[in-house]
Amino acid sequence: MARFQQKQKQNSPRKKRQNLTIREQTQCRFCRDGKSYIDYKDLDTLQKLLTNRGKIFSRKRSGNCAGCQRKVKTAIKRARFMALLPYTN
């Protein structure tokens, strides 16, 4: 017990190094353009958000915000249903 208290006293005066990296927040491509609706007929934009196998890129990979990623998902699903985009390659 005394050994634990000694270690605690030794570590308390030390200050932990804080990572103070300030990153600029980047907006997604749709928020930058001010689009409120993502059109399922805009195939050039939607194909940039798909892999060559037809999978949808993640938010981290595509750079979309959460709201726009949901809109992209529904637009891609609509385009697939209308046979504008393939389900798989």
Side-chain angles (χ1 to χ4, degrees):
M1 185 77 174
R3 190 175 191 193
F4 175 72
Q5 291 173 349
Q6 287 175 350
K7 284 186 179 181
Q8 195 175 27
K9 287 180 185 177
Q10 288 174 355
N11 291 338
S12 61
R14 292 184 188 173
K15 292 183 179 180
K16 292 183 179 179
R17 187 182 298 180
Q18 295 178 354
N19 293 336
L20 297 175
T21 56
I22 299 171
R23 230 180 85 199
E24 292 182 24
Q25 289 189 350
T26 57
Q27 288 185 327
C28 74
R29 68 180 84 194
F30 303 108
C31 291
R32 264 185 269 137
D33 297 339
K35 292 185 179 180
S36 60
Y37 176 73
I38 299 170
D39 194 15
Y40 69 94
K41 293 175 271 185
D42 188 9
L43 298 181
D44 295 332
T45 306
L46 294 179
Q47 282 184 337
K48 290 178 186 175
L49 301 170
L50 293 173
T51 63
N52 58 355
R53 306 294 289 295
K55 294 182 178 181
I56 303 172
F57 281 128
S58 65
R59 276 183 55 202
K60 192 173 186 178
R61 182 92 184 263
S62 64
N64 293 334
C65 64
C68 291
Q69 183 71 13
R70 286 191 291 270
K71 292 175 188 174
V72 164
K73 179 184 71 170
T74 55
I76 289 174
K77 288 182 178 183
R78 285 179 184 164
R80 285 175 175 167
F81 183 76
M82 300 295 281
L84 300 173
L85 288 175
Y87 282 97
T88 58
N89 279 347

